[in-house]
Amino acid sequence: MNAAIEENIVVKIGGASLFGGPLLIEQIRAATAASANQRMFVLFGGGETIESMRSLHASFPQLDVEAMHWRCVRLLDATWEVGCELFPEAVPVVTWDALQRAKKGPLGKSFLVSVAAFYSPELLHRVERNLHPAHDWNTTTDALSWVLAHLVEAAELRITKRRPVDPAMSIRNAALCGMIDSELARMVAIRDPRERPEVRFLHLKENV
């Protein structure tokens, strides 16, 4: 029997799921657990933390859009830290060098990736140009998870949602429906299909 093929998988956990409370924690743990032939790279969204900044910008539209983008990126460290505390079994990844080691590291491991490990003004030169998302509100951790998937050479990108998504729905239609951000759809569209990971949606629902 042939050995199972090694694969890297990125899982984006929406901030709304993390803010969903204890009933979702075990579902998140199951969704981010690696099998013996996998490395799982987990990225947490910002949830209400980021939405509060969106509301602030709506109240003060004179604030610089790009500056707000990078403020929100820095705020993602907060939900990453919470994730590290809630899921101590996973390996934290906080630097570019650590991410490079992890993508070829031990199998059967889950890694909690800080956005600061791969996406910041100082790191943009290390990422190919067509993986640069817009520095505005069109970019969320949906698009950033796509960047991460390419950087770790992932076979698959899994995006969790708290409401069901039709498996047959295209990325373009998912963006038009507001299920994912428009930057993810744009970057998927311009990528050679032979070079892009499969994108799947996972439905997380509260245990009752």
Side-chain angles (χ1 to χ4, degrees):
M1 180 181 293
N2 294 330
I5 297 174
E6 291 185 18
E7 60 180 3
N8 293 345
I9 295 174
V10 170
V11 183
K12 184 257 175 160
I13 303 294
S17 297
L18 189 61
F19 280 78
L23 291 177
L24 284 175
I25 290 299
E26 289 311 311
Q27 292 224 19
I28 293 173
R29 180 169 280 110
T32 57
S35 66
N37 67 310
Q38 295 175 334
R39 302 176 192 91
M40 303 291 279
F41 294 85
V42 183
L43 188 68
F44 284 106
E48 294 302 317
T49 305
I50 302 303
E51 289 307 310
S52 65
M53 295 297 282
R54 193 187 294 269
S55 297
L56 185 63
H57 197 193
S59 297
F60 300 98
Q62 69 270 29
L63 292 169
D64 182 83
V65 173
E66 184 169 353
M68 290 297 288
H69 170 78
W70 291 115
R71 288 184 189 115
C72 289
V73 168
R74 292 192 295 272
L75 280 174
L76 291 170
D77 278 347
T79 46
W80 173 78
E81 289 177 4
V82 170
C84 289
E85 190 169 342
L86 290 173
F87 304 97
E89 66 275 16
V91 179
V93 175
V94 73
T95 67
W96 177 271
D97 289 343
L99 183 63
Q100 302 313 302
R101 291 192 297 271
K103 75 178 185 180
K104 301 294 185 183
L107 293 167
K109 293 284 187 181
S110 295
F111 300 89
L112 296 187
V113 183
S114 166
V115 171
F118 68 95
Y119 184 69
S120 69
E122 295 76 25
L123 290 174
L124 282 177
H125 72 281
R126 298 194 177 196
V127 180
E128 61 182 276
R129 186 68 186 174
N130 67 359
L131 289 176
H132 289 195
H135 301 158
D136 57 27
W137 289 111
N138 291 319
T139 294
T140 71
T141 44
D142 291 341
L144 298 185
S145 65
W146 175 259
V147 176
L148 177 60
H150 281 279
L151 292 176
V152 300
E153 301 170 14
E156 191 171 286
L157 167 59
R158 301 173 182 174
I159 299 176
T160 65
K161 295 294 177 183
R162 290 187 66 183
R163 54 176 170 151
V165 181
D166 182 350
M169 179 178 287
S170 69
I171 296 298
R172 180 177 181 274
N173 286 339
L176 290 173
C177 293
M179 298 294 294
I180 59 171
D181 72 46
S182 60
E183 274 299 280
L184 172 56
R186 182 190 68 81
M187 290 194 292
V188 168
I190 64 174
R191 195 73 179 182
D192 186 328
R194 296 168 297 180
E195 298 178 351
R196 65 193 190 203
E198 180 183 359
V199 180
R200 290 180 52 209
F201 298 106
L202 295 181
H203 177 210
L204 296 183
K205 56 184 178 181
E206 297 180 358
N207 292 318
V208 293

